[in-house]
Amino acid sequence: MTTNRRFVMGVAAALLLGFSANVATAQAQTKELVIFAAASLKNALDEAAAAWVKETGKPAPKISYAASNALAKQLEQGAPADLFLSADLDWMDYAASKNLIKPETRISLLANRIVLVAPADSTAKVALTSGDDLSAALGSGRLAMGNVESVPAGKYGKAALEKLGGWDKVKDKIAQADNVRAALLLVSRGEAPLGIVYATDAAADPKVKVAAVFPEDSHPPIIYPVAVTKDATNPDAQGFLTYLRGAGPKAAFERQGFTVLNRLANAS
């Protein structure tokens, strides 16, 4: 092989390697931001994400909504995501214990309330006081809730009913759903006469009405933490988290009925 030919082939190889590297870099830079978020965040987070795209010109993030327990388990099984927004502290703690998040990025972002909802045309009269019996209001129907052992809204609802002394009276009349929005849908469609959901879920569906609000001291505080995942690959992950703490998203969250906390996880 002549020197000139070796030189030409070497230049071609170098150009090919450079092109491949540039393609890989471009692919990394254009990879969409992937977010795992609790189902109850859908309306507010969709609004915040749309505003972020408009303000920054960046590609729209891909947001997967589900129950926090399902999302945490997916992360544990290796599902790719850059941010995790949970509807309770337990599942974020679980993710932290499995080394699935970057703990220094963790923020307690929002707070919520749980409420008892009924179809918008319901005439049911209920009161969430100590010893109150929901079974009479349910009649032959069931109480729609997220899974009471794993879905945050279901866990909060069960805790509240236990605190108020009403769990044993309704525990055999529960329609458990995979996430809180699925429980809301059962009531919205008239398939369940009552359901326990977040106040923000009730506000998002005109086909339901709030029948009663659970006392705040009847269940643990409802806090939504967010963190960048340990294996996040998108450079916009931290930037979007920072954006969520700003004035625009704050207004979006408050319009949906959330209380904005926006504090470091280890803050008092």
Side-chain angles (χ1 to χ4, degrees):
M1 183 182 294
T2 66
T3 302
N4 285 342
R5 187 178 179 189
R6 284 197 298 269
F7 174 76
V8 170
M9 292 181 67
V11 170
L15 289 173
L16 181 60
L17 286 172
F19 175 75
S20 299
N22 288 336
V23 169
T25 300
Q27 288 174 336
Q29 290 174 342
T30 59
K31 176 184 176 295
E32 61 192 348
L33 179 66
V34 179
I35 300 171
F36 279 6
S40 52
L41 286 165
K42 180 170 175 51
N43 295 65
L45 192 57
D46 279 353
E47 182 179 341
W52 180 74
V53 170
K54 185 176 180 179
E55 291 179 25
T56 64
K58 294 180 180 295
K62 179 181 179 181
I63 309 177
S64 294
Y65 294 104
S68 301
N69 58 299
L71 295 172
K73 290 292 187 178
Q74 288 176 33
L75 283 176
E76 186 179 13
Q77 292 165 10
D82 300 297
L83 282 173
F84 176 39
L85 289 88
S86 172
D88 75 349
L89 297 174
D90 287 348
W91 284 109
M92 186 62 79
D93 289 343
Y94 179 87
S97 73
K98 300 295 183 178
N99 196 32
L100 301 174
I101 63 168
K102 296 178 180 178
E104 69 277 10
T105 69
R106 180 173 170 174
I107 301 293
S108 291
L109 186 65
L110 305 167
N112 209 340
R113 299 286 301 273
I114 53 170
V115 298
L116 188 71
V117 292
D121 59 357
S122 172
T123 58
K125 303 291 183 181
V126 294
L128 294 174
T129 56
S130 182
D132 189 54
D133 184 1
L134 290 180
S135 61
L138 287 171
S140 61
R142 292 185 174 273
L143 177 64
M145 300 174 62
N147 185 289
V148 299
E149 301 301 327
S150 56
V151 176
K155 291 163 59 182
Y156 291 128
K158 180 182 177 182
L161 291 173
E162 287 178 333
K163 180 72 176 291
L164 295 172
W167 174 249
D168 287 340
K169 300 170 185 176
V170 298
K171 65 182 182 181
D172 295 325
K173 305 181 75 171
I174 304 296
Q176 299 191 54
D178 290 339
N179 61 68
V180 69
R181 284 298 174 100
L184 176 70
L185 194 58
L186 290 174
V187 181
S188 180
R189 290 176 173 174
E191 296 172 19
L194 294 171
I196 298 176
V197 300
Y198 295 117
T200 51
D201 296 310
D205 191 335
K207 293 183 179 180
V208 304
K209 66 179 181 181
V210 175
V213 179
F214 283 89
E216 283 192 272
D217 63 357
S218 65
H219 56 79
I222 301 174
I223 296 174
Y224 286 61
V226 55
V228 175
T229 65
K230 184 65 181 292
D231 294 330
T233 59
N234 193 297
D236 290 327
Q238 182 60 55
F240 188 76
L241 190 157
T242 300
Y243 178 79
L244 289 179
R245 303 182 69 187
K250 180 177 186 292
F253 288 129
E254 289 178 342
R255 276 194 293 274
Q256 295 297 328
F258 288 99
T259 298
V260 177
L261 301 176
N262 196 9
R263 64 178 185 237
L264 294 174
N266 59 0
S268 59

